[in-house]
């Protein structure tokens, strides 16, 4: 999934986005926060910060940065009540907020938090503010529990986003806005082609890593060979770690046995894969269907987690796998690439990230050829709003070629704020409308390339209805050949919507905010 990224509209920020990594730990965190306010993402600045520090300082720096981001807007409101006059200098505000986090959330000793933060103000060349910084932090240090309660009382979101969540999720609003300021648990997806979730949990136990098995059940109705709606159910299992752990501590992680992936994100590949198998089963009785090839598309595929999951399911030797269903449908030559997988994303660095992830999981094109030459993988750097299947632009026809499409659509990523708290700083209210238009353009371009009877799974990691159910309602209104596939009561995840289901980051599984809608193109 590609996230939109825009800098906050704040003309008081310095135009330079160069990140200078020197000075004390607190100074480096302050500079990192200033870079984020200048429009850089957390993912782009976190590694430079941590790599610039000694191992003994990395844990504190990480906690200080992430906690400050999670409490950012609540701290800003608290700061406004503590200062006699408005504080306009963003560097000074940032420095004080870093000091407040130490006192209120990280339990740093008062003298250390105050002294080091005052020194940090000097290091970033704002020595004129040291008296103000010292006075505010000392005031808070006298009664930290009082100010912690004030900070925790309301949400820590920009007001426009809190207002929109109130409109979209009035019943869940309080729990949701508080949940978004908490850290998210770490989940693992186990490669079912290599081992079972239960066996990998046992391996984690041996490494003294505690984890629970989380099982999500999905039910939906698809057209059977008799053209009547038939219910299908599937189970998705993952592991939720009790504490986040470095991946190099996970057993056989480098060998591709497991991947880090949110539990709700793990629903995507099984749903579209099951829908595609239902399509193939429905075609069994159609003697006119002589097609021996399946073509599937993963659009906006980076960083490749859902693509890898789908490839794991496809390449599985299980008799219920897509490959075996296809083999059961038609006698094909072992030299034929029965299943063609295309993945697209619009940025070259993100394409490289896909390749790296697949390489670790032994799912590169070379690996797939070595294991089974019936699967062909093609990764393309392209804009999903314009890309059409074909060897080149002249050959592109925009004709239906895909049996199934997984669209992990660009979105404001409001459902993953717990993992990427910089989103609450980077996003603006205008981004919602712009993102919804982008989503509509992608849908408009890809839908004609889906075969009749084929399925499109629309996924976002947003919790805003304009990007999700309202987007689908608008799409259905303008596409008479699109049929909504209903999720049944068998689902133990998400909240039923007029179209699709919405996961919130307060669900029992503790996964992130994701939206799912499954569409089928009617057969004319």
């Amino acid at each position: 999934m590609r996230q939109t990224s825009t800098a906050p509209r704040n003309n008081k920020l310095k135009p330079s986005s160069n990140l200078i990594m020197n000075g004390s730990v607190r100074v480096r965190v302050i500079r990192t926060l200033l870079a984020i306010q200048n429009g850089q993402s957390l993912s782009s600045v976190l590694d430079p910060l941590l790599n610039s520090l000694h191992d003994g300082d990395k844990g504190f720096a990480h906690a200080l940065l992430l906690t400050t981001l999670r409490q950012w807007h609540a701290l800003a409101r608290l700061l406004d009540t503590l200062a006699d006059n408005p504080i306009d200098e963003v560097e000074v505000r940032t420095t004080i907020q870093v000091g407040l986090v130490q006192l209120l959330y990280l339990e740093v000793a008062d003298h250390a938090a105050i002294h080091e933060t005052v020194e940090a103000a000097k290091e970033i060349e704002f020595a004129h503010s040291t008296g103000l910084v010292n006075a505010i932090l000392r005031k808070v240090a006298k009664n930290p529990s009082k100010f912690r309660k004030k900070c925790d009382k309301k949400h820590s979101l920009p007001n426009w986003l809190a207002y929109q969540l109130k409109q979209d999720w009035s019943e869940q609003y309080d729990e949701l806005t508080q949940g978004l300021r908490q850290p998210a648990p770490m989940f693992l997806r186990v490669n079912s082609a290599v081992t079972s979730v239960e066996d990998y949990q046992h391996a984690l136990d041996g490494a003294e890593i505690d984890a629970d098995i989380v099982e999500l059940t999905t039910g939906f109705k698809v057209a059977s060979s008799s053209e009547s709606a038939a219910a299908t159910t599937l189970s998705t299992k993952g592991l939720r770690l009790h504490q986040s752990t470095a991946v190099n501590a996970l057993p056989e992680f480098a060998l591709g046995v497991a991947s880090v992936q949110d539990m709700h994100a793990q629903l995507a590949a099984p749903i579209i894969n099951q829908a595609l198998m239902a399509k193939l089963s429905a075609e069994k009785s159609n003697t006119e269907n002589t097609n021996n090839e399946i073509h599937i598309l993963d659009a906006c595929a980076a960083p490749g987690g859902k693509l890898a999951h789908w490839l794991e399911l496809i390449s599985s030797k299980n008799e219920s796998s897509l490959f075996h269903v296809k083999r059961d449908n038609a006698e094909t030559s072992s030299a034929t690439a029965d299943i063609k997988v295309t993945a697209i994303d619009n940025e070259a660095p993100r394409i490289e990230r896909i390749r790296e992830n697949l390489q670790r999981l032994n799912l590169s094109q070379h690996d797939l050829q070595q294991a089974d030459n019936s699967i062909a993988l093609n990764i393309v750097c392209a804009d999903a709003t314009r890309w059409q299947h074909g060897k080149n632009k002249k050959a592109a026809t925009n004709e239906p070629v895909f049996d199934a499409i997984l669209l992990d659509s660009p979105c404001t990523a409001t459902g993953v704020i717990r993992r990427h708290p910089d989103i609450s700083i980077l996003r603006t209210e205008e981004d919602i409308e712009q993102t919804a238009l982008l989503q509509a353009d992608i849908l408009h371009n890809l839908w004609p390339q889906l075969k009749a009877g084929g399925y499109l799974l629309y996924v976002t990691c947003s919790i805003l209805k304009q990007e999700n159910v309202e987007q689908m309602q608008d799409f259905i209104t303008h596409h008479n050949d699109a049929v909504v596939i209903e999720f049944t009561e068998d689902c133990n995840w998400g909240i039923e919507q007029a179209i699709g289901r919405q996961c919130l980051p307060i669900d029992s599984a503790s996964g992130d905010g994701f939206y799912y809608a499954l569409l089928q193109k009617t057969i004319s």
Side-chain angles (χ1 to χ4, degrees):
M1 179 209 63
R2 180 188 61 188
Q3 295 178 7
T4 59
S5 179
T6 55
R9 279 63 166 171
N10 188 339
N11 56 17
K12 293 174 182 174
L13 295 177
K14 292 182 178 180
S16 173
S17 60
N18 294 328
L19 189 55
I20 302 172
M21 282 304 173
N22 56 30
S24 68
V25 175
R26 289 166 179 82
V27 165
R28 298 182 198 207
V29 170
I30 291 167
R31 287 180 173 147
T32 302
L33 288 164
L34 291 172
I36 291 172
Q37 292 172 81
N38 261 319
Q40 295 194 53
S41 68
L42 174 62
S43 60
S44 69
V45 297
L46 181 58
D47 284 346
L49 168 65
L50 299 180
N51 292 338
S52 74
L53 297 168
H54 297 297
D55 289 345
D57 293 327
K58 291 181 179 180
F60 174 68
H62 188 271
L64 182 56
L65 175 62
L66 270 292
T67 307
T68 304
L69 287 170
R70 288 194 177 101
Q71 312 304 333
W72 184 262
H73 298 281
L75 290 168
R77 296 183 189 102
L78 176 62
L79 177 55
D80 289 337
T81 68
L82 292 169
D84 294 332
N85 299 301
I87 303 174
D88 293 328
E89 293 172 307
V90 67
E91 294 86 353
V92 177
R93 292 185 65 88
T94 302
T95 300
I96 296 175
Q97 288 181 224
V98 166
L100 291 173
V101 165
Q102 297 171 67
L103 295 172
L104 302 181
Y105 293 97
L106 299 186
E107 299 180 353
V108 176
D110 295 356
H111 67 278
I114 297 171
H115 174 73
E116 294 298 330
T117 304
V118 168
E119 291 301 308
K122 297 177 183 177
E123 283 190 66
I124 64 171
E125 300 180 355
F126 277 79
H128 67 273
S129 69
T130 54
L132 176 64
V133 174
N134 182 71
I136 290 178
L137 296 184
R138 286 190 179 279
K139 181 177 181 179
V140 171
K142 291 179 180 178
N143 195 345
S145 60
K146 167 189 171 183
F147 291 105
R148 171 70 183 263
K149 288 179 181 178
K150 288 184 67 174
C151 208
D152 289 346
K153 187 176 182 180
K154 295 184 179 181
H155 60 81
S156 186
L157 297 168
N159 287 330
W160 68 264
L161 180 55
Y163 175 80
Q164 191 58 56
L165 293 179
K166 184 72 170 179
Q167 300 302 305
D168 287 352
W169 306 105
S170 58
E171 294 183 10
Q172 299 86 2
Y173 174 78
D174 290 335
E175 184 181 2
L176 178 58
T177 53
Q178 287 299 318
L180 287 173
R181 65 199 296 184
Q182 304 302 320
M186 181 175 177
F187 291 93
L188 299 180
R189 184 189 80 246
V190 178
N191 186 345
S192 58
V194 177
T195 188
S196 68
V197 172
E198 290 78 9
D199 285 346
Y200 196 72
Q201 184 189 39
H202 183 70
L204 290 174
D205 287 340
E208 298 185 341
I209 299 174
D210 295 326
D212 298 322
I213 295 177
V214 178
E215 183 173 5
L216 301 180
T217 301
T218 304
F220 53 87
K221 295 180 180 179
V222 294
S224 68
S225 57
S226 62
E227 298 184 358
S228 60
T232 181
T233 58
L234 60 110
S235 174
T236 304
K237 289 184 179 181
L239 290 166
R240 180 176 57 213
L241 303 191
H242 291 188
Q243 290 185 331
S244 294
T245 304
V247 294
N248 57 15
L250 299 173
E252 298 185 300
F253 183 84
L255 300 178
V257 177
S259 298
V260 178
Q261 187 178 39
D262 180 76
M263 195 64 224
H264 288 155
Q266 293 184 41
L267 291 166
I271 291 175
I272 189 62
N273 197 61
Q274 188 76 9
L276 181 53
M277 288 196 291
K279 176 182 183 292
L280 298 178
S281 297
E283 292 174 349
K284 278 186 179 182
S285 61
N286 186 356
T287 57
E288 296 180 359
N289 181 19
T290 58
N291 178 35
N292 293 331
E293 194 171 84
I294 304 169
H295 204 161
I296 62 179
L297 172 67
D298 185 347
C300 309
K306 298 178 183 67
L307 172 64
H309 195 185
W310 203 357
L311 288 171
E312 289 170 2
L313 296 175
I314 292 171
S315 59
S316 171
K317 302 304 179 182
N318 189 301
E319 291 185 359
S320 63
S321 72
L322 174 63
F323 176 75
H324 283 276
V325 170
K326 177 61 183 172
R327 281 287 182 178
D328 194 38
N329 280 357
E331 294 297 329
T332 59
S333 166
S334 60
T336 301
D338 296 319
I339 304 173
K340 292 188 175 182
V341 182
T342 301
I344 67 173
D345 205 274
N346 73 335
E347 296 179 7
R350 293 170 63 80
I351 291 290
E352 185 59 30
R353 179 82 182 278
I354 295 174
R355 297 187 190 279
E356 291 173 356
N357 286 333
L358 294 183
Q359 189 73 35
R360 181 184 68 82
L361 295 167
N362 304 308
L363 291 170
S364 68
Q365 177 58 60
H366 175 75
D367 296 319
L368 294 173
Q369 286 178 336
Q370 292 291 104
D372 190 330
N373 61 9
S374 295
I375 303 175
L377 172 64
N378 185 30
I379 303 175
V380 181
C381 186
D383 184 346
T385 64
R386 296 190 298 269
W387 176 84
Q388 296 177 9
H389 178 263
K391 295 181 179 179
N392 51 55
K393 291 183 179 179
K394 292 182 180 179
T397 61
N398 204 29
E399 293 181 352
V401 291
F402 296 109
D403 296 278
I405 298 175
L406 170 58
L407 173 53
D408 191 6
S409 182
C411 65
T412 55
T414 46
V416 294
I417 285 178
R418 297 182 305 169
R419 300 185 192 280
H420 304 280
D422 56 316
I423 289 170
S424 70
I425 295 176
L426 295 174
R427 296 294 176 268
T428 68
E429 190 170 4
E430 292 78 13
D431 290 336
I432 306 175
E433 183 67 30
Q434 295 172 2
T435 303
L437 292 173
L438 174 62
Q439 293 170 339
D441 286 345
I442 294 174
L443 284 163
H444 177 75
N445 182 54
L446 296 183
W447 185 254
Q449 301 182 63
L450 182 66
K451 292 179 182 178
Y455 291 90
L456 183 147
L457 181 64
Y458 178 81
V459 186
T460 79
C461 59
S462 171
I463 51 178
L464 301 178
K465 292 189 176 183
Q466 186 174 348
E467 299 174 89
N468 297 336
V469 61
E470 292 174 9
Q471 181 71 263
M472 286 292 95
Q473 288 173 317
D474 183 70
F475 181 80
I476 291 296
T477 300
H478 293 92
H479 293 80
N480 295 330
D481 58 349
V483 175
V484 177
I485 302 301
E486 298 178 17
F487 289 104
T488 67
E489 294 181 355
D490 293 326
C491 292
N492 67 347
W493 54 269
I495 301 171
E496 182 181 5
Q497 303 293 285
I499 298 175
R501 295 186 74 87
Q502 177 73 60
C503 299
L504 296 178
I506 53 174
D507 288 357
S508 59
S510 302
D512 287 331
F514 274 85
Y515 173 78
Y516 286 93
L518 183 60
L519 306 178
Q520 184 178 30
K521 181 178 282 189
T522 57
I523 300 174
S524 56

